[in-house]
């Protein structure tokens, strides 16, 4: 009927038509006709919220080996454009702003505040509550981020934190929020006092850990930080000259991130509401508002008024020492084994430019302990940390029964 050439032309036309009909094609011709083709079995996209899928597995059934294909099922294809029913439970995780802000188990001391569902927008924290009386004064939680000096006003303003009534949430924060999961430790201070072993570990970390341990003692679950946020530290400004603070943080919380001002600025640039699952908010001027903080002039003083388990520091100590050394050294047990000698370590600062003993006092102290060592009372070690690696410092501390250091106690953390 057709010549060979005609048959080839028909075949080509047929292939082109099939291709056009099976590909998803959007074509706007000169006549202005829009042709859109979508595969018949593609379900429409109708979801507008995030959904977590929890699969439940029904009993497995084995079809008969000789089951024939039922041609009548082809009629069901017209239903294919409807959402597909399945045996999956759909759990909604809406990002809508609903939860109120709370202080769990009352875990709080001025300058150290544990908060659940703390909101942030454009650099301002929002405490969503119907009753402000259930919370401390804003000045007892946060301050203006100014370096401390004489006549410097650190009184917080509405730029730092605000209480927000639920009726005003939508007009202020919008209808949805970006959720940051887990525990975030926010040190809301300039890096002025961060760059020292004592101020970082002996005040910021120790104080925060006491409040976390108070909450953990109530719930029997000690929360672990996922990130440390330092909004006003730029390019590692929080690091100490000896290079100890940050490495010890990696040993304590290997998976936790240390974020600085660029992270904070990124959140501001989003121009969106962020909600933190849980925040440990640390602030130095607020901490000094506690009566003990003013009395002793120490940021951590107020947290000493909080009841925590006797061994609250032990989980952190064991983690750091074990991660660094691969094991937990056992110091001499002089109390239980009278024949053993306690290891007494004196951390000397005699080569430092400040905070050191008078030469005659230093020599008298060393001489007295060497006499005790010769008498078999103890084993004595004079240590100069600047001559030791971080690993060696921690190992010596972990092995020591007694240690002392002029004007600094942080060495004792790893005993």
């Amino acid at each position: 009927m057709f010549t060979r050439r005609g048959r080839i032309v028909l075949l080509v036309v047929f292939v082109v038509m099939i291709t056009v009909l099976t590909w998803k094609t959007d074509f706007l011709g000169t006549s202005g006709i829009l042709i859109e083709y979508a595969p018949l079995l593609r379900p429409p996209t109708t979801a507008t919220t995030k959904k977590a899928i929890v699969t439940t597995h029904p009993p497995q059934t084995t079809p008969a080996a000789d089951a024939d294909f039922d041609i009548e099922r082809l009629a069901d294809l017209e239903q294919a454009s409807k959402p597909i029913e399945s045996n999956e439970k759909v759990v909604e995780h809406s990002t809508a702003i609903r939860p109120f802000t709370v202080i769990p188990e009352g875990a709080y001391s001025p300058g150290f505040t544990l908060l659940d569902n703390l909101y942030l927008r454009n650099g301002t924290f929002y405490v969503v509550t119907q009753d402000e009386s259930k919370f401390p004064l804003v000045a007892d939680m946060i301050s203006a981020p100014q370096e401390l000096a004489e006549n410097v006003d650190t009184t917080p303003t509405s730029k730092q934190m605000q209480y927000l009534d639920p009726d005003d949430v939508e007009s202020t924060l919008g209808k949805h929020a970006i959720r940051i999961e887990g525990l975030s430790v926010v040190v809301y201070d300039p890096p002025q006092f961060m760059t020292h072993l004592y101020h970082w570990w002996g005040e910021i970390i120790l104080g925060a850990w006491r409040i976390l341990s108070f909450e953990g003692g109530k719930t029997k679950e000690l929360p672990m930080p996922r990130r440390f946020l330092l909004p006003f530290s730029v390019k590692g400004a929080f690091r100490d000259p000896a290079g100890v603070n940050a490495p010890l943080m990696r040993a304590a919380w290997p998976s936790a991130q240390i974020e600085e001002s660029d992270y904070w600025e990124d959140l501001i640039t989003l121009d969106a509401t962020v909600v933190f699952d849980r925040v440990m908010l640390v602030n130095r001027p607020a901490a000094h508002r506690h009566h003990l903080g003013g009395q002793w002039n120490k940021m951590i003083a107020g947290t000493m008024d909080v009841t925590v388990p006797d061994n609250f520091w032990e989980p952190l100590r064991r983690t750091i020492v074990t991660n660094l050394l691969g094991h937990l050294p056992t110091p001499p047990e002089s109390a239980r084994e009278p024949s053993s000698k306690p290891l007494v370590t004196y951390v000397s600062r005699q080569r430092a430019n400040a905070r050191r003993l008078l030469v005659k006092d230093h020599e008298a102290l060393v001489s007295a302990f060497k006499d005790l060592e010769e008498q078999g009372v103890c084993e004595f070690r004079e240590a100069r940390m600047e001559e030791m690696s971080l690993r060696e410092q921690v190992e010596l501390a972990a092995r020591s029964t007694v240690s002392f250091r002029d004007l600094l106690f942080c060495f004792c953390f790893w005993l």
Side-chain angles (χ1 to χ4, degrees), residues 39 57 71 128 135 155 157 246 251 259 282 362 373 408:
H57 299 282
I71 197 169
V128 177
F135 291 85
T155 303
T157 67
E259 303 284 4
V282 180
H362 164 73
E373 186 175 34
L408 194 59

Side-chain angles (χ1 to χ4, degrees), residues 10 14 19 23 36 74 79 90 105 126 160 170 187-188 198 210 213 228 231 251 263 269 273 330-331 338 365 390:
L10 274 175
F14 178 76
T19 303
W23 284 356
E36 180 177 356
L74 290 175
Q79 301 295 325
V90 180
E105 304 296 334
Y126 290 90
Q160 281 77 54
E170 186 172 329
V187 186
Y188 198 88
Y198 165 71
R210 283 189 67 88
S213 299
F228 290 81
Y263 180 92
T269 301
T273 298
T330 303
L365 182 65
L390 180 59

Side-chain angles (χ1 to χ4, degrees), residues 240-262:
D240 61 307
V244 172
N245 288 344
L248 284 177
M249 292 289 288
R250 311 299 183 184
W253 298 283
S255 299
Q257 301 173 344
I258 301 177
E259 303 284 4
E260 296 184 87
S261 61
D262 53 345

Side-chain angles (χ1 to χ4, degrees), residues 142-218:
I142 202 169
S143 71
Q146 303 287 339
E147 288 197 355
L148 299 183
E150 190 175 358
N151 299 324
V152 172
D153 185 11
T154 60
T155 303
T157 67
S158 58
K159 176 59 181 173
Q160 281 77 54
M161 178 179 283
Q162 300 179 31
Y163 285 112
L164 189 62
D165 188 272
D167 293 338
D168 300 324
V169 163
E170 186 172 329
S171 60
T172 305
L173 302 181
K175 295 183 178 180
H176 73 280
I178 301 171
R179 181 165 291 277
I180 298 180
E181 298 180 344
L183 171 61
S184 304
V185 178
V186 180
V187 186
Y188 198 88
D189 286 314
Q192 179 183 12
F193 289 98
M194 297 180 188
T195 59
H196 195 286
L197 177 67
Y198 165 71
H199 291 304
W200 182 265
W201 280 97
E203 292 186 319
I204 295 171
I205 300 300
L206 182 58
W209 195 253
R210 283 189 67 88
I211 301 302
L212 291 173
S213 299
F214 170 81
E215 194 272 345
K218 297 276 188 177

Side-chain angles (χ1 to χ4, degrees), residues 385-404:
M385 292 305 195
E386 63 271 18
E387 299 176 357
M388 303 171 65
S389 69
L390 180 59
R391 178 188 175 90
E392 290 171 337
Q393 293 178 43
V394 172
E395 184 173 19
L396 177 60
R399 288 184 54 245
S400 298
T401 310
V402 179
S403 70
F404 55 96

Side-chain angles (χ1 to χ4, degrees), residues 353-396:
N353 295 324
R355 294 184 177 180
R356 59 187 180 186
L357 298 177
L358 296 175
V359 174
K360 63 181 182 64
D361 294 335
H362 164 73
E363 292 176 347
L365 182 65
V366 172
S367 176
F369 272 103
K370 285 185 175 180
D371 288 344
L372 291 175
E373 186 175 34
E374 290 177 0
Q375 298 170 21
V377 175
C378 66
E379 178 185 350
F380 175 68
R381 173 77 182 271
E382 179 185 354
R384 294 182 177 87
M385 292 305 195
E386 63 271 18
E387 299 176 357
M388 303 171 65
S389 69
L390 180 59
R391 178 188 175 90
E392 290 171 337
Q393 293 178 43
V394 172
E395 184 173 19
L396 177 60

Side-chain angles (χ1 to χ4, degrees), residues 21-93:
L21 290 176
T22 54
W23 284 356
K24 180 182 176 182
T25 306
D26 292 323
F27 174 74
L28 184 61
T30 56
S31 62
I33 300 176
L34 178 63
I35 303 173
E36 180 177 356
Y37 171 76
L40 181 62
L41 295 179
R42 183 186 66 180
T45 303
T46 58
T48 57
T49 58
K50 294 174 62 178
K51 298 185 179 184
I53 306 300
V54 182
T55 304
T56 57
H57 299 282
Q60 297 294 321
T61 58
T62 304
D66 59 349
D68 294 328
F69 178 74
D70 185 0
I71 197 169
E72 292 181 358
R73 291 179 60 195
L74 290 175
D76 294 336
L77 290 177
E78 64 182 1
Q79 301 295 325
S81 61
K82 297 180 179 180
I84 299 174
E85 297 292 333
S86 72
N87 62 333
E88 294 174 330
K89 295 179 180 179
V90 180
V91 182
E92 299 284 350
H93 282 299

